[in-house]
Amino acid sequence: MAKPDIHPKWYPEAKVYCDGKIVMTVGSTQEELHVDVWSGNHPFFTGTQKIIDTEGRVERFMRKYGMDESQGAGGKGSAKKKDEK
């Protein structure tokens, strides 16, 4: 059992407000919760999220370090070493 007189008061029907409107009720140690973002207005959950990075990570890495596909998997200079031997 829980020890008496050490736990905060529990509010099983605490109201959650976003932009001045009640959006849901939850259990909390506070009577009212004021939030800026919740699942009803977050771009990920509403489907309005836009993908900024249109270029793939591998292509960006290859371009950044000067590795193009003609040099093969060994990186810079690997094609020259194979030809010299």
Side-chain angles (χ1 to χ4, degrees):
M1 295 301 289
K3 291 185 179 181
D5 301 326
I6 64 167
H7 297 284
K9 183 171 178 174
W10 182 254
Y11 299 96
E13 296 294 321
K15 294 175 178 65
V16 179
Y17 292 92
C18 184
D19 295 330
K21 301 175 191 169
I22 296 177
V23 293
M24 68 179 95
T25 57
V26 296
S28 177
T29 57
Q30 297 178 350
E31 286 185 85
E32 296 180 350
L33 300 167
H34 297 273
V35 296
D36 294 328
V37 178
W38 68 291
S39 61
N41 67 357
H42 191 278
F44 179 78
F45 295 107
T46 59
T48 59
Q49 182 178 17
K50 296 181 182 177
I51 298 173
I52 296 171
D53 185 18
T54 57
E55 187 177 4
R57 290 182 177 184
V58 174
E59 290 82 10
R60 188 172 49 206
F61 174 84
M62 299 294 266
R63 190 182 76 233
K64 181 178 179 181
Y65 292 103
M67 298 179 209
D68 58 356
E69 294 170 9
S70 65
Q71 292 177 340
K76 289 186 177 180
S78 63
K80 290 181 183 178
K81 291 180 183 176
K82 289 180 183 176
D83 294 336
E84 290 175 0
K85 290 183 180 178

